[in-house]
Amino acid sequence: MTIVSSSTIIAAPPSVVRATFLDWPNLTTWDKRYMKTLTPLLPDGSPDPSKTSGLSVAPGDRVHGTFWGGEANLEILENTESQMSWKGAWHGLVAVRRLN
């Protein structure tokens, strides 16, 4: 199996990166090309109004994302001060992503 990985270095403290990236209602103020929406879901698949940002999601929560070129259903694996990770499928590809 081939594994592809990438990383990005951001010139800001981790707390600033985390607060910005997990402010999902305002995603399009800084990313106008790729991300469109990230919506936490209830178990029945409807939007969860109690979770208004990525700061409020927990392991096992599901999130629906719309991106340039498609949609993805993601499962939160970890959401701590030091790391956020999720997995999901997009265009038939399964990926695990980490923000740390």
Side-chain angles (χ1 to χ4, degrees):
M1 172 172 66
T2 302
I3 297 175
V4 178
S5 67
S6 67
S7 63
T8 302
I9 297 173
I10 300 171
S15 60
V16 171
V17 174
R18 182 175 169 77
T20 302
F21 183 78
L22 298 180
D23 181 10
W24 294 346
N26 293 305
L27 279 177
T28 57
T29 61
W30 59 272
D31 184 353
K32 295 179 181 5
R33 293 178 290 178
Y34 182 67
M35 301 167 100
K36 294 182 179 180
T37 63
L38 288 169
T39 307
L41 302 175
L42 291 166
D44 68 3
S46 63
D48 186 343
S50 73
K51 297 185 178 180
T52 58
S53 77
L55 293 170
S56 58
V57 295
D61 284 350
R62 294 181 310 130
V63 175
H64 180 262
T66 56
F67 308 91
W68 168 84
E71 300 178 42
N73 289 307
L74 312 170
E75 178 187 348
I76 303 301
L77 301 176
E78 184 175 355
N79 190 8
T80 65
E81 288 292 320
S82 62
Q83 180 168 291
M84 180 178 196
S85 61
W86 62 93
K87 71 177 179 179
W90 185 60
H91 289 291
L93 302 172
V94 175
V96 174
R97 300 293 305 241
R98 287 182 168 72
L99 171 67
N100 60 351

